[in-house]
Amino acid sequence: MSDSVKVALVGCGFFARNHLFSWKDLAAEGADLVAVCDIDAAKAEAAAKEFNVPRWYTDFDAMVEAEQIDLLDIATRMDTHRMLVEKAIGRGIATIVQKPFAPTWEDAVAMTAAAEKAGVFLAVHENFRFQTPLIRVAETLRTGVIGTPSWGRISFRTGYDIYAGQPYFFDEERFIILDLGVHTLDIARVFMGEVERVYCETQQRNPKVKAEDTATVMLKHVSGAVSVVDFTYESRKEPDPFPETMVEIEGPDGAVVVDAGLTMQVTSGGEMRTEDIGAPLLHWTSKPWHVAQESVLITCRHMLESFRAKDAAATAAADNLKTFAVVEAAYESAASGTAVKPRAYP
Ligand SMILES: NC(=O)c1ccc[n+]([C@@H]2O[C@H](COP(=O)([O-])OP(=O)(O)OC[C@H]3O[C@@H](n4cnc5c(N)ncnc54)[C@H](O)[C@@H]3O)[C@@H](O)[C@H]2O)c1
């Protein structure tokens, strides 16, 4: 085993369990989870006890002062990201931060610039592109079996009660594009390349939420390809495919289709083959969340390996800004009723 990497986790809430299981699984690959932190003492202590973490804190400053942290994993909500990231980067600590990177473009840019100036590793835990089924789609597209993608649809439609685990969604000022669209728009970049123009229509279908819970986005990619990225938390369709992402990509030589149930149909040269691309069940994952849960392990592994190799992560801050720019463009488009060019990070 290579030298151990001392990892600390901040934020021990709803989603952090997946990070805790992942870092413990990655102990076999050299991740040493030395400390956890949450402003809620009960959560920090419970996480430390359950996951056998040597030390727990309620104060982030106290934790970074006392611990020798190689890799910090931030799993708090976005309103705290900039404050925590800037403190960590100021101390030269390599940092991973959950999506959404930040509430605003300005915050995301400030964190990216600070990390670049300090020469410190900063990456966003953007895990959809690390889901086993979506990795298989990307690999298949890269083989060239359908030619260069010219049209695509990436779709996430559910009526699953996401509010039970994340009740803060009711009060978000900007909701599904920032929460879920950030994942599916990232996938559109991975499959179809960078984005030149964005048109978006939003809907608020659940009267109990403050902001949009449904969005239909049309992207013109730099390659000339066009894609539709649509997502909602208000689909009433059975069987509900939560939390699977449906995919349809067409190219000059064929098509790749992922339907509910996670089978991939690849048509190439007039022949169609079917492949099971489901994620395996791990000792700590359960249906229907297992595809998303396993992707946390794969994402954390990628972060560990990138950090060790002194490489930028695939979802480094500067890369995630490109997705964030598409998110911002979608909001601008929905507000203005016009197509919007995504901002560029200098
Ligand atoms: N990638 C995914 O698939 C996925 C899925 C769900 C949630 N998330 C993201 O994970 C993040 C956390 O979401 P959640 O639902 O777990 O939220 P949560 O509110 O359940 O957990 C956040 C935790 O952070 C703690 N916290 C807040 N400020 C802190 C500080 N300054 N220092 C230490 N602890 C602090 C809170 O006490 C809370 O326990 C969000 O950004 C969310 O978008 C990602």
Side-chain angles (χ1 to χ4, degrees):
M1 191 177 72
S2 27
D3 289 348
S4 75
V5 173
K6 289 189 173 54
V7 178
L9 175 74
V10 52
C12 301
F14 166 72
F15 201 70
R17 287 188 69 71
N18 302 308
H19 293 237
L20 287 158
F21 276 116
S22 296
W23 289 122
K24 291 313 277 188
D25 278 10
L26 290 167
E29 293 165 43
D32 182 12
L33 185 59
V34 293
V36 291
C37 172
D38 198 295
I39 47 172
D40 182 334
K43 286 188 187 173
E45 184 178 14
K49 277 202 175 132
E50 182 179 353
F51 291 92
N52 206 15
V53 183
R55 289 168 296 283
W56 60 270
Y57 298 82
T58 53
D59 179 26
F60 177 73
D61 295 325
M63 180 173 80
V64 288
E65 188 62 37
E67 302 287 338
Q68 292 293 317
I69 301 166
D70 298 318
L71 191 54
L72 176 74
D73 189 15
I74 300 174
T76 59
R77 277 145 57 180
M78 63 180 169
D79 54 320
T80 51
H81 289 175
R82 182 170 176 181
M83 178 267 292
L84 295 168
V85 164
E86 287 183 345
K87 284 182 176 182
I89 296 298
R91 286 176 170 268
I93 301 172
T95 300
I96 312 157
V97 58
Q98 252 296 347
K99 54 57 66 176
F101 196 3
T104 68
W105 169 255
E106 288 70 26
D107 286 338
V109 165
M111 287 185 272
T112 306
E116 280 177 0
K117 192 168 171 215
V120 176
F121 178 102
L122 177 62
V124 177
H125 184 110
E126 172 42 72
N127 54 322
F128 267 41
R129 61 163 94 178
F130 292 108
Q131 288 183 6
T132 291
L134 301 178
I135 290 171
R136 282 297 300 130
V137 173
E139 286 170 352
T140 304
L141 293 175
R142 275 200 298 273
T143 64
V145 282
I146 70 162
T148 304
S150 37
W151 186 90
R153 180 176 179 199
I154 294 144
S155 183
F156 188 105
R157 310 193 73 78
T158 186
Y160 185 89
D161 182 12
I162 40 101
Y163 304 98
Q166 295 168 280
Y168 53 88
F169 280 156
F170 287 116
D171 298 316
E172 297 290 3
E173 300 291 341
R174 304 202 296 174
F175 179 21
I176 198 170
I177 304 177
L178 199 46
D179 176 61
L180 193 279
V182 76
H183 291 303
T184 44
L185 292 166
D186 191 66
I187 289 300
R189 285 185 51 230
V190 171
F191 291 171
M192 320 272 298
E194 297 308 338
V195 176
E196 187 174 290
R197 198 158 61 224
V198 179
Y199 182 77
C200 174
E201 292 288 348
T202 58
Q203 293 164 284
Q204 182 193 334
R205 293 159 69 187
N206 180 341
K208 293 187 189 145
V209 298
K210 267 192 185 169
E212 87 291 348
D213 54 27
T214 301
T216 307
V217 190
M218 192 166 98
L219 305 176
K220 166 93 181 289
H221 295 264
V222 172
S223 66
V226 171
S227 65
V228 177
V229 183
D230 58 290
F231 39 93
T232 184
Y233 288 136
E234 289 301 321
S235 167
R236 304 283 166 231
K237 180 177 68 180
E238 293 297 337
D240 192 307
F242 179 86
E244 295 170 11
T245 304
M246 306 297 115
V247 178
E248 204 169 339
I249 310 283
E250 296 176 358
D253 305 325
V256 172
V257 177
V258 179
D259 283 331
L262 297 177
T263 51
M264 175 170 70
Q265 292 142 29
V266 182
T267 302
S268 182
E271 302 281 319
M272 195 274 274
R273 66 178 168 83
T274 302
E275 195 182 313
D276 177 2
I277 54 168
L281 270 178
L282 306 177
H283 67 98
W284 54 272
T285 67
S286 53
K287 290 182 178 178
W289 275 94
H290 66 298
V291 173
Q293 289 172 312
E294 191 220 15
S295 71
V296 177
L297 173 66
I298 301 174
T299 307
C300 290
R301 178 180 287 126
H302 173 74
M303 298 298 171
L304 184 65
E305 288 173 355
S306 305
F307 169 73
R308 271 220 183 93
K310 299 187 175 21
D311 282 343
T315 56
D319 178 87
N320 197 257
L321 269 185
K322 292 182 187 163
T323 296
F324 208 95
V326 181
V327 165
E328 290 287 0
Y331 279 114
E332 275 178 56
S333 170
S336 66
T338 59
V340 174
K341 186 178 163 59
R343 304 166 199 202
Y345 172 62

